[in-house]
Amino acid sequence: MINRLLNFATLHPGRILSLVLALTLLALAGIVDVKTGQLKLGIDPSINRLLPEDDSDRQFYEHIRRVFGSEDVVMLALVSADAEKGIFTPSMMTRVGRITEKLQALPGVDRVQSLATAPNLRADDDSLDISTLSEQVAQDPSVLEGLRESVMSNPLYGGNLVSRDGRVAVVLVQFKDLDDQEFLAQDIDRRIMAIAEAERGDANVWMTGTPVIKAETTRLLLAEMGFVLPAMLVVGALFLILVFRTTVGVLLPISNILIALVWVLGALGWMGRPLNMVTVIVPPLVFTVGLAYAMHVMSEFYAAREQQPDHPRFDLLVREVLSTIGLPLIITGLTTLTGFFALGLNPLLAIREFAWLATLGVLCSMLLTLAYIPAMLVLLKERSGNAPLNSTRLFQSAAKVLARFNLRYRRSIIAVSVVLMVLALLGTLRIEVATDFIGDFPAKAPVRQQYESIRSAFNGASPFYIVIDGHAADAIVEPVNLRQIETLQAWLAAQPEVGGSLSIVDSLKLINRSLNGNDQAYYRIPENRALVKQLLVFGGGEELDGTIDKSFSVTSIQVRANVGDSASITALTERIEQRLAALNPPLSARITGNTVLVSRALDNIAGGQLFSVALALGVIYLLMSAMFTSWRAGALALVPNLIPVTVYFGTLGLLDIPLTPTTSLIACITLGIAVDDTIHYMVR
């Protein structure tokens, strides 16, 4: 049955090639829009696919975003050239106002916060002035003289909207119903920067924020794919030239790989699914596996042609090659497919998408190798002249030397392998699960330099929420509960990873002071519950929407971390959770935010990786035991697959390379290649 299917390619090469061409054109239509010529396939940098779909942390985060808005803001900083006056000059205030106004008109923008929109609460005997800083300056320019002191003494503004040295003003852009892909597709970050550049004058402009970093990460990945894949093709072609030294020996494997890549990416495009931070490694995987499959067929073909240079029927020669190489190639493909398919049981959506996409890639590579290459060999025979140059003798000689070495020193080789395994296992104990998206950029990349500049100016640029629930209406306005929040903020301020925090307590104390003639003695929490609520209702305004809900039962502390890598964030959040457990009833608290979810997702990936690799190895063992009809043979065949995977993880630990969404899956690629070599060797 198998031979009959394999022979179809040699009997009907024209049909095979017509089918391949039709499917390739169909796949291309899924990658590129035929009408506009634009690329339909994109990369999704969001964390959603790194979390289980029913993850409670993810659902809670989405709920909090709806209540308090997203903490994922774009931070646009305007740096004054005047070291003495800083941003407190008429020209700088005017620029901040114009930039703020223009940013509010951008699509998807929900709210823009800056000195131009910040209310400056002032009270006298007869009235309460809640106009913004810019409005007060416009009405009375003399206000500008005392503006610096007023702003810097305001805990909501000093260190948050203005740097502590007064030289940097930040504009915070918050979005609503605008996901990461839409942000990237509309070039929102570049449009923000263009507005700032047009208005900055002699000032410098910096920009950062999670949306900006995600957008630049996507562009970086696309640029790397545009470089890495062609580079892999060039290196692969050079290797094929070295091995086969024929045009056919180079072009057939390369075209085979390219077609498989087009089919896989086309399927993704037709399904409307973008590549994500994990599935982006599928194209290199398809290239690696496809090259190995094609090499086996072409190698067997040239060996058969060398042994039978005067074979009367070229199609029969190709058929004989397929009868020799076809079965082990199919078994190899099915085993690799099963290994990747086992990853589909992982609870993380991104890993499952990688599993089915890798499975599709391996399947396409295997089918094309067994159909497209034989069909092309049969057709090209009519146009080929002399037999291809023989370049296998060097490799055959090297293989004989290696075989003699292996037999002579087999005990030493086994001993070295055991030592390597032990060292690798020790290395795995040192593996850290971490990622630092900004650290993936070159040190001189503008996105990294601007992030570091803003983080330095404001002592942090990685925000997250601590959500505090009072479990009853008006629970948060109870003075005793507010003092718990105040104490918690004082504890947060003592943590080295925390650059600052804002809560309803800061707003309340500021309102209380402002309504009492700015007397510093009133910068405190009132003793009376009714007074607290009155101050918040009449003096808070829209500024409180991001810190407390309408029923005064749930509030949030916005924490700004001065670290960005997930390992440091995880250590900080674990410490905070221990502190939150000490809150007195009725208060309970929970940490959330994009930064926190990324850290937790990485922990899930690490745990899921061990399960996935173990499952894949178990399935491969069962398949090889069944194939060789021996449990012992299956165990023997498993060893060459187990060693490289263990050594890979051990190398990560020994070299202090963190386990990230992408590095965690390289073990799967290693396993796929090892299975390929093992089966071909043992079948022979």
Side-chain angles (χ1 to χ4, degrees):
M1 178 65 178
I2 293 178
N3 284 335
R4 190 176 300 173
L5 292 174
L6 293 175
N7 292 340
F8 186 85
T10 60
L11 294 172
H12 308 284
R15 294 183 183 180
I16 291 291
L17 296 180
S18 297
L19 179 61
V20 169
L21 177 61
L23 290 175
T24 304
L25 292 175
L26 182 64
L28 282 172
I31 300 173
V32 180
D33 192 310
V34 179
K35 296 181 179 179
T36 63
Q38 293 183 340
L39 191 67
K40 295 169 63 176
L41 196 63
I43 294 180
D44 181 5
S46 69
I47 65 167
N48 292 341
R49 298 183 184 279
L50 299 181
L51 296 170
E53 293 172 296
D54 58 348
D55 182 71
S56 60
D57 289 336
R58 174 179 172 179
Q59 294 171 354
F60 180 72
Y61 174 59
E62 295 298 334
H63 168 69
I64 294 304
R65 280 168 59 102
R66 289 191 293 270
V67 175
F68 296 120
S70 174
E71 88 289 8
D72 282 347
V73 298
V74 171
M75 300 177 67
L76 181 69
L78 209 60
V79 188
S80 174
D82 189 334
E84 182 180 352
K85 295 183 178 180
I87 58 95
F88 299 101
T89 64
S91 62
M92 285 297 296
M93 292 295 292
T94 301
R95 291 172 199 168
V96 172
R98 286 201 301 261
I99 290 173
T100 300
E101 184 179 355
K102 290 183 178 180
L103 291 180
Q104 288 174 329
L106 285 177
V109 171
D110 180 42
R111 187 181 181 192
V112 180
Q113 291 178 278
S114 71
L115 290 179
T117 62
N120 188 30
L121 191 63
R122 296 190 302 177
D124 54 34
D125 295 335
D126 300 321
S127 63
L128 178 66
D129 184 0
I130 57 173
S131 58
T132 66
L133 290 168
S134 59
E135 289 172 340
Q136 291 174 10
V137 171
Q139 295 168 4
D140 183 7
S142 64
V143 173
L144 194 59
E145 296 179 5
L147 189 62
R148 183 186 188 108
E149 181 181 352
S150 174
V151 169
M152 300 311 294
S153 64
N154 188 320
L156 302 182
Y157 305 152
N160 291 295
L161 293 182
V162 182
S163 62
R164 288 299 179 186
D165 61 4
R167 289 194 59 191
V168 186
V170 73
V171 181
L172 304 177
V173 187
Q174 194 172 32
F175 301 91
K176 184 178 182 180
D177 300 328
L178 188 71
D179 60 30
D180 297 323
Q181 288 178 271
E182 292 174 326
F183 184 91
L184 180 66
Q186 298 188 46
D187 277 336
I188 298 296
D189 54 331
R190 291 176 174 174
R191 293 167 71 175
I192 291 174
M193 182 57 80
I195 290 173
E197 287 287 349
E199 296 287 351
R200 72 183 183 90
D202 60 350
N204 289 325
V205 176
W206 302 330
M207 182 175 64
T208 193
T210 304
V212 174
I213 295 173
K214 287 180 180 179
E216 284 299 316
T217 299
T218 302
R219 295 185 185 112
L220 179 63
L221 287 174
L222 286 172
E224 286 185 347
M225 284 183 64
F227 169 77
V228 170
L229 289 179
M232 292 180 72
L233 289 172
V234 170
V235 173
L238 291 175
F239 181 73
L240 292 170
I241 292 172
L242 175 65
V243 175
F244 299 128
R245 301 185 186 178
T246 68
T247 303
V248 171
V250 175
L251 294 183
L252 280 190
I254 293 298
S255 60
N256 191 74
I257 294 168
L258 289 175
I259 294 170
L261 280 172
V262 170
W263 285 10
V264 172
L265 297 179
L268 202 62
W270 277 113
M271 294 179 65
R273 307 291 286 272
L275 290 167
N276 58 51
M277 304 295 287
V278 176
T279 57
V280 75
I281 68 174
V282 168
L285 166 67
V286 173
F287 177 91
T288 305
V289 172
L291 181 61
Y293 290 171
M295 286 281 291
H296 281 299
V297 172
M298 297 302 297
S299 223
E300 194 71 33
F301 165 72
Y302 282 129
R305 185 153 187 188
E306 181 184 5
Q307 295 169 4
Q308 306 177 62
D310 299 322
H311 198 291
R313 291 277 303 278
F314 193 79
D315 59 330
L316 292 180
L317 178 64
V318 176
R319 202 172 302 169
E320 291 173 7
V321 169
L322 287 177
S323 66
T324 302
I325 197 67
L327 183 58
L329 195 62
I330 290 174
I331 294 173
T332 296
L334 292 178
T335 308
T336 306
L337 282 173
T338 305
F340 284 126
F341 191 73
L343 292 174
L345 299 177
N346 195 290
L348 301 183
L349 178 60
I351 305 297
R352 293 204 304 272
E353 287 185 348
F354 169 82
W356 73 258
L357 202 57
T359 301
L360 178 62
V362 172
L363 181 62
C364 291
S365 298
M366 181 181 68
L367 292 177
L368 284 167
T369 302
L370 294 173
Y372 167 74
I373 289 181
M376 287 295 292
L377 286 174
V378 172
L379 289 179
L380 291 175
K381 171 60 177 70
E382 298 177 359
R383 303 173 187 175
S384 60
N386 299 326
L389 297 174
N390 179 17
S391 60
T392 60
R393 292 176 183 173
L394 176 63
F395 293 95
Q396 290 173 348
S397 300
K400 290 178 181 179
V401 172
L402 182 61
R404 287 194 294 268
F405 178 87
N406 292 343
L407 290 172
R408 183 176 180 180
Y409 299 104
R410 57 188 180 276
R411 290 185 176 85
S412 300
I413 292 172
I414 293 173
V416 170
S417 299
V418 171
V419 171
L420 279 176
M421 285 282 287
V422 172
L423 290 175
L425 289 172
L426 293 175
T428 58
L429 300 177
R430 298 183 54 192
I431 290 179
E432 290 189 0
V433 181
T435 191
D436 184 0
F437 288 121
I438 200 67
D440 291 335
F441 292 95
K444 294 184 178 180
V447 64
R448 182 170 178 177
Q449 291 182 335
Q450 292 176 26
Y451 167 84
E452 296 293 350
S453 296
I454 291 179
R455 184 170 71 171
S456 176
F458 290 90
N459 195 22
S462 301
F464 61 89
Y465 283 131
I466 297 177
V467 180
I468 300 175
D469 194 344
H471 302 284
D474 291 340
I476 300 301
V477 299
E478 289 288 350
V480 63
N481 292 333
L482 289 169
R483 290 192 188 93
Q484 285 200 72
I485 298 174
E486 184 180 39
T487 303
L488 175 60
Q489 281 188 268
W491 180 87
L492 288 171
Q495 307 309 304
E497 304 95 336
V498 175
S501 67
L502 287 175
S503 76
I504 190 66
V505 172
D506 298 304
S507 299
L508 175 64
K509 292 193 295 186
L510 181 64
I511 295 170
N512 193 28
R513 185 183 71 180
S514 300
L515 294 178
N516 287 277
N518 281 321
D519 186 345
Q520 190 62 26
Y522 286 90
Y523 187 69
R524 56 181 173 79
I525 299 171
E527 299 294 333
N528 185 284
R529 173 180 175 276
L531 178 58
V532 168
K533 189 168 183 179
Q534 289 175 6
L535 291 176
L536 293 177
V537 171
F538 296 107
E542 296 181 357
E543 296 301 313
L544 297 184
D545 291 345
T547 57
I548 196 166
D549 70 341
K550 301 296 184 183
S551 65
F552 296 97
S553 62
V554 180
T555 187
S556 68
I557 301 176
Q558 299 177 24
V559 183
R560 189 176 65 252
N562 55 29
V563 291
D565 64 287
S566 61
S568 299
I569 292 294
T570 298
L572 173 62
T573 54
E574 288 176 351
R575 207 179 319 132
I576 293 175
E577 286 174 341
Q578 292 177 357
R579 175 61 181 81
L580 296 180
L583 289 175
N584 294 322
L587 299 186
S588 64
R590 187 170 177 179
I591 307 173
T592 191
N594 196 300
T595 303
V596 175
L597 292 186
V598 167
S599 302
R600 290 175 179 169
L602 290 170
D603 291 337
N604 291 335
I605 286 176
Q609 178 68 9
L610 179 62
F611 168 78
S612 299
V613 172
L615 179 61
L617 285 169
V619 171
I620 289 171
Y621 168 67
L622 293 175
L623 284 174
M624 289 192 293
S625 297
M627 181 176 66
F628 298 123
T629 64
S630 167
W631 298 110
R632 181 181 177 185
L636 181 63
L638 191 64
V639 173
N641 301 289
L642 185 61
I643 291 176
V645 173
T646 307
V647 169
Y648 169 72
F649 282 120
T651 302
L652 291 183
L654 292 173
L655 297 183
D656 294 324
I657 300 173
L659 193 66
T660 67
T662 47
T663 59
S664 68
L665 292 175
I666 293 178
C668 301
I669 300 177
T670 304
L671 186 59
I673 297 171
V675 167
D676 181 7
D677 296 337
T678 302
I679 290 178
H680 277 286
Y681 187 87
M682 295 197 68
V683 164
R684 289 176 181 275

